[in-house]
Amino acid sequence: MEEYFGSSAADWQVWGNDEIYNPVTQPVQWRTLLTNCRSVARLQNGHPVETGATAFASTAAAYAWISTRMDLPAYVDYILTNVHLGNFDWPANNFRFAYNSITGRHVFLPWDMERSLDWSTDSYYTTPENHSRLHLGGAAEPFLALREYPDFRTLISQRLTAHFDTAGAYFHIPAGGTASVAKTGWTNQINAFSPLFELESGRWSLTGTWLDTVSGLNKSFYAPISSKTTAFQRSEPGFRPSDAQLGDWNRATGWIRDNWFTAARIANTKTALLRTPYTPAIPPPVISRFGNKAYLYYQGGEMFWTFDGSDPMTNTRPPFTARDNISAHKTEDILQPTTFRARTRILGFLWSNEIQVTYSPQ
């Protein structure tokens, strides 16, 4: 950090998901940043900011504050790279960011990305049915909140253009054109490593292929790629251990080169990052009755409800909270004709549609 950013190592603190999800160790800097990112989304959509959030005069003021606390272009690049490379174990897990105590800025760092560039994660974020995976939270939470604001969406478009169009790092020319920047870069890196790999593979045993060796207990994760290769006949005369490992290496890296860096994947990545509508379909609560009790069920996140006819989005009652993706319910007595209104909220700013029912005592 000191060498790259030109400041003292003592100025930096590095945190990750282990600290973020622990209420005891969660840095107040992260909590403040995330709350104010949510304020951008809430103000943009006409909702009041969360209790305890900074009282910004406008959405523009909130966004301006965020831009002083985050390297926003670098952050978009970070999200773009993880999505485009299909990082399977992210964004709720395996994320790190550095905080500079002098400038107050946050910088997100690529971390533990070995579960990327695999055929099984080829469309992990980029097909319509998988867009919601970004809503797992973690490192993507600021992105999801800020994406509600037009200026940030413009920045996303600019970074997509810089990386995917003309001559960016991920640029790909369709079949018939010259070699793409992405494919050329991949090939150059593989060519540089292949001689070292061949030397190393010569000392490995005959018990399995290269993919078996490197994946270890996680063998099933790589099995789909391995199934795309031609099995080696170990009984062939003159067989050397390095033949199998190097052959698997060449076929696996070749498959990535030919199938990952395509115009179709670029289009899918752009859609995932800028899709419209760009808020997920959040299921609203379900309200039912049994005798003179009303039951309000919901799936994960927070449920806001009222039984006096008021708007649950502006009610001051603390929400009923469940862990992500866990069903929960709340019970209320029906003592008189009562109108129940309820909504679900996730990530502090994304709301479901409202459900409303009226019950009378039986």
Side-chain angles (χ1 to χ4, degrees):
M1 300 297 296
E2 180 177 9
E3 180 179 352
Y4 187 84
F5 289 101
S7 60
S8 170
D11 299 339
W12 293 94
Q13 294 174 280
V14 178
W15 295 301
N17 43 277
D18 290 341
E19 294 84 8
I20 295 305
Y21 294 136
N22 185 334
V24 176
T25 59
Q26 185 183 73
V28 65
Q29 294 90 341
W30 165 261
R31 193 179 310 122
T32 301
L33 175 70
L34 186 56
T35 298
N36 288 335
C37 285
R38 291 171 175 173
S39 293
V40 171
R42 292 170 67 86
L43 291 168
Q44 180 65 23
N45 291 307
H47 305 314
V49 299
E50 296 178 63
T51 301
T54 304
F56 293 108
S58 64
T59 312
Y63 186 74
W65 184 92
I66 297 297
S67 66
T68 67
R69 297 301 190 273
M70 294 179 72
D71 185 339
L72 289 177
Y75 178 60
V76 174
D77 292 349
Y78 165 81
I79 297 292
L80 182 157
T81 296
N82 279 279
V83 169
H84 190 58
L85 300 186
N87 187 359
F88 177 83
D89 203 10
W90 175 91
N93 193 33
N94 287 332
F95 68 89
R96 296 286 186 275
F97 66 91
Y99 172 77
N100 188 295
S101 59
I102 303 301
T103 65
R105 289 171 71 84
H106 300 71
V107 178
F108 283 77
L109 310 170
W111 183 263
D112 204 357
M113 295 181 65
E114 85 282 1
R115 299 192 74 174
S116 305
L117 290 169
D118 182 79
W119 81 274
S120 64
T121 64
D122 182 29
S123 300
Y124 195 69
Y125 301 98
T126 56
T127 56
E129 62 271 21
N130 286 341
H131 284 167
S132 62
R133 293 190 187 278
L134 278 177
H135 295 280
L136 293 172
E141 286 197 49
F143 179 83
L144 295 170
L146 296 174
R147 191 169 60 174
E148 302 283 309
Y149 190 57
D151 285 10
F152 189 70
R153 291 175 63 79
T154 298
L155 175 62
I156 297 172
S157 296
Q158 292 171 343
R159 302 312 296 168
L160 289 170
T161 297
H163 291 299
F164 289 122
D165 299 341
T166 61
Y170 296 123
F171 177 57
H172 173 75
I173 298 176
T178 58
S180 70
V181 173
K183 282 190 175 182
T184 300
W186 175 260
T187 300
N188 290 341
Q189 292 298 317
I190 295 305
N191 288 343
F193 277 98
S194 288
L196 300 175
F197 180 85
E198 182 174 13
L199 291 172
E200 174 66 12
S201 67
R203 68 183 182 87
W204 291 347
S205 71
L206 297 178
T207 58
T209 66
W210 165 75
L211 289 168
D212 294 332
T213 304
V214 297
S215 59
L217 296 177
N218 203 23
K219 188 182 300 182
S220 61
F221 177 74
Y222 290 92
I225 291 185
S226 192
S227 67
K228 294 176 181 293
T229 69
T230 303
F232 280 89
Q233 300 298 318
R234 300 306 175 89
S235 60
E236 289 181 0
F239 172 79
R240 297 178 303 152
S242 61
D243 289 335
Q245 282 84 28
L246 188 60
D248 283 343
W249 164 267
N250 289 335
R251 277 186 293 275
T253 56
W255 180 87
I256 293 173
R257 179 197 63 225
D258 296 335
N259 291 277
W260 205 274
F261 306 110
T262 66
R265 269 199 58 78
I266 289 174
N268 288 341
T269 298
K270 289 181 176 181
T271 299
L273 268 65
L274 278 174
R275 68 192 180 96
T276 302
Y278 44 88
T279 53
I282 304 168
V286 174
I287 305 177
S288 62
R289 72 177 298 167
F290 184 79
N292 283 324
K293 287 188 179 295
Y295 293 84
L296 295 83
Y297 300 89
Y298 70 107
Q299 181 79 22
E302 304 167 298
M303 182 180 68
F304 291 75
W305 80 102
T306 63
F307 46 82
D308 59 3
S310 62
D311 185 350
M313 295 178 68
T314 58
N315 190 274
T316 57
R317 180 188 295 107
F320 196 68
T321 304
R323 300 199 316 271
D324 289 344
N325 299 320
I326 300 296
S327 295
H329 73 276
K330 175 70 175 173
T331 305
E332 293 284 358
D333 292 325
I334 305 171
L335 303 177
Q336 59 187 3
T338 303
T339 296
F340 295 93
R341 298 174 62 181
R343 291 177 183 262
T344 302
R345 187 179 76 179
I346 65 170
L347 301 182
F349 65 90
L350 296 173
W351 293 85
S352 73
N353 293 327
E354 182 181 303
I355 187 75
Q356 178 176 321
V357 298
T358 300
Y359 293 133
S360 295
Q362 293 179 338

